[in-house]
Amino acid sequence: MELGLFHMPLHPADKPMADVLKENTEKIIYADQLGFSETWIGEHYSASTEPITAPMMFMASLIPQTKNIRFGTGVVCLPNHHPAQVAGQAAQFDHMSGGRFNFGIGPGGLASDMELFDVLDGSVRAEKFAESINMIKQIWSQDPPYDIKGKHWHIKLTDNIIPKLGVGYMQKPLQKPCPPISLSSMSPDGNSVAHAIKMGWKPITANFAPESTVINHWHKYVEGCDAVGIKPTGREWSVARNILIADSDAQAEDWLLDPKGSDFYYFDYLWEVLKVANYTAVIKPITTMEDKDVTVESIVKASVIYGSRKTVIDKIMSLRERSGPFNTLLKAAMDGSGANRERERLTMRRLAEDVLPVINAG
């Protein structure tokens, strides 16, 4: 198993942008020093709580400050962008990072962004997502002329081409044929997990999904592998989780249920956002529960791996036994205000130094 970080990132709405960028920068540098294999940064345009609008731009500043960690977009919301722009920016970032790039894509999950980019209609959003990634991959696979027609975009570059000057040629990534493509999934049925495998992509299970969803995603992962005739080893599957490691189980629970704690804030925020979006099923401890019966406490207890080092080891090993041998455990990066900074750094260090060696030795 490998370790990674997954940042929405989520912070208090009044936190200065400079502090958000500094905090996440320091966290990723520390993760690289600890041996974390990858980090992911989300993309949102219209929420001061989730303020990073350009993950590749942000991560570019981290390339010279890190040695080994891979950088992932978590995710580029393809319906919100012209495919040619995404293709060019992703190709450039792949070269800038020396091939340390994971191309995470998705249709988007923030309703205000969907309104902003006029893709509130789910069927339109799905169409644009599929059309965009197909166009991006075609751009990367050929030289000009380009004449790629779709329902929502037409990429045409046929007339202004000067081969001897390189004019008309679009950039291709360093990694061949392209950077690893990943697709996140939060829904309990997990059909996007099977779709990702069938497409040759790597699925990521969202951190706020309850364990029942993680287990079902393994079944969907196996379904996708069976469909394309590959062995379901788990190497193509990553699972994100909120994780909190303290000196004892009691201390971990105190931290977890602390109203000023970052995990409690995270799930309280998500629960309110998902209620407004009428999409609460993805986060409920039991999907059939009525909204009125759900509390933030019940959500965090169902979705967070917490406890002493031994308890966390046992919980991770139990989850992998009940779901499947996911290759990468992505710790969800939380806000680092106040005492939360040291709690998170302690958890990261204990994951790398105490938990991972035991799990991999088993």
Side-chain angles (χ1 to χ4, degrees):
M1 192 179 78
E2 297 180 353
L3 293 174
L5 282 179
F6 197 101
H7 313 238
M8 283 175 60
L10 180 68
H11 299 278
D14 59 354
K15 190 162 192 166
M17 183 65 161
D19 292 348
V20 168
L21 298 175
K22 180 181 179 182
E23 179 183 317
N24 286 277
T25 294
E26 292 175 347
K27 199 174 301 181
I28 292 170
I29 293 171
Y30 188 54
D32 182 60
Q33 292 169 348
L34 289 172
F36 280 54
S37 62
E38 59 193 48
T39 187
W40 302 78
I41 297 287
E43 172 198 275
H44 306 94
Y45 277 81
S46 56
S48 60
T49 43
E50 305 171 55
I52 293 184
T53 58
M56 280 184 269
M57 184 185 296
F58 168 69
M59 293 186 297
S61 68
L62 282 151
I63 295 169
Q65 301 185 75
T66 55
K67 295 180 179 179
N68 299 305
I69 201 163
R70 293 181 63 84
F71 301 101
T73 48
V75 296
V76 177
C77 303
L78 295 183
N80 303 346
H81 306 280
H82 193 287
Q85 289 180 307
V86 177
Q89 291 165 3
Q92 176 176 310
F93 185 85
D94 197 32
H95 283 273
M96 290 178 68
S97 66
R100 285 196 279 153
F101 179 45
N102 295 330
F103 186 34
I105 58 173
L110 185 63
S112 57
D113 279 1
M114 296 173 195
E115 180 182 359
L116 179 66
F117 292 101
D118 194 23
V119 287
L120 279 168
D121 187 311
S123 60
V124 171
R125 200 162 59 249
E127 286 177 355
K128 295 187 79 172
F129 168 77
E131 185 173 302
S132 177
I133 188 58
N134 288 337
M135 288 181 165
I136 290 167
K137 291 180 71 177
Q138 188 169 342
I139 287 170
W140 288 344
S141 70
Q142 69 170 86
D143 290 329
Y146 306 93
D147 192 4
I148 310 170
K149 296 180 180 178
K151 179 178 179 180
H152 300 281
W153 293 285
H154 181 192
I155 293 176
K156 181 180 179 298
L157 207 175
T158 58
D159 301 329
N160 296 283
I161 301 168
I162 310 172
K164 68 178 182 178
L165 298 180
V167 174
Y169 287 73
M170 298 181 69
Q171 297 301 319
K172 296 179 175 61
L174 175 63
Q175 299 175 85
K176 305 301 180 188
C178 65
I181 297 174
S182 293
L183 179 68
S184 65
S185 179
M186 65 178 107
S187 62
D189 61 27
N191 286 324
S192 55
V193 172
H195 176 70
I197 293 296
K198 293 173 187 177
M199 295 294 292
W201 307 340
K202 298 183 177 184
I204 300 174
T205 296
N207 59 291
F208 48 80
E211 287 196 354
S212 59
T213 295
V214 179
I215 293 167
N216 193 50
H217 281 190
W218 167 255
H219 297 308
K220 293 296 182 179
Y221 170 86
V222 172
E223 177 185 309
C225 290
D226 289 345
V228 293
I230 61 175
K231 183 179 178 181
T233 63
R235 290 200 60 80
E236 301 84 7
W237 182 33
S238 298
V239 172
R241 296 279 86 191
N242 284 56
I243 306 170
L244 193 57
I245 306 176
D247 291 332
S248 66
D249 292 349
Q251 185 184 56
E253 185 162 320
D254 286 344
W255 289 356
L256 182 72
L257 301 181
D258 178 1
K260 295 182 180 179
S262 54
D263 287 286
F264 197 91
Y265 164 71
Y266 179 90
F267 283 99
D268 184 49
Y269 169 87
L270 274 185
W271 178 239
E272 293 302 318
V273 168
L274 291 169
K275 282 195 294 185
V276 172
N278 195 28
Y279 199 37
T280 56
V282 300
I283 199 174
K284 290 179 182 179
I286 302 172
T287 56
T288 55
M289 290 177 71
E290 296 287 337
D291 284 6
K292 62 181 177 60
D293 297 325
V294 177
T295 63
V296 176
E297 180 176 331
S298 68
I299 295 172
V300 295
K301 284 189 172 182
S303 297
V304 180
I305 297 174
Y306 66 98
S308 66
R309 281 167 279 197
K310 182 182 183 306
T311 297
V312 167
I313 289 169
D314 292 343
K315 286 182 176 181
I316 293 171
M317 293 180 74
S318 172
L319 179 58
R320 293 181 92 211
E321 289 169 0
R322 288 177 290 120
S323 60
F326 49 84
N327 183 64
T328 306
L329 175 63
L330 300 173
K331 182 199 174 300
M334 295 290 101
D335 179 70
S337 301
N340 293 300
R341 179 183 184 274
E342 291 311 313
R343 292 174 185 177
E344 183 166 46
R345 284 192 162 232
L346 181 64
T347 295
M348 289 171 63
R349 179 170 58 79
R350 287 176 169 172
L351 271 175
E353 297 177 356
D354 302 330
V355 174
L356 188 66
V358 174
I359 290 174
N360 285 340

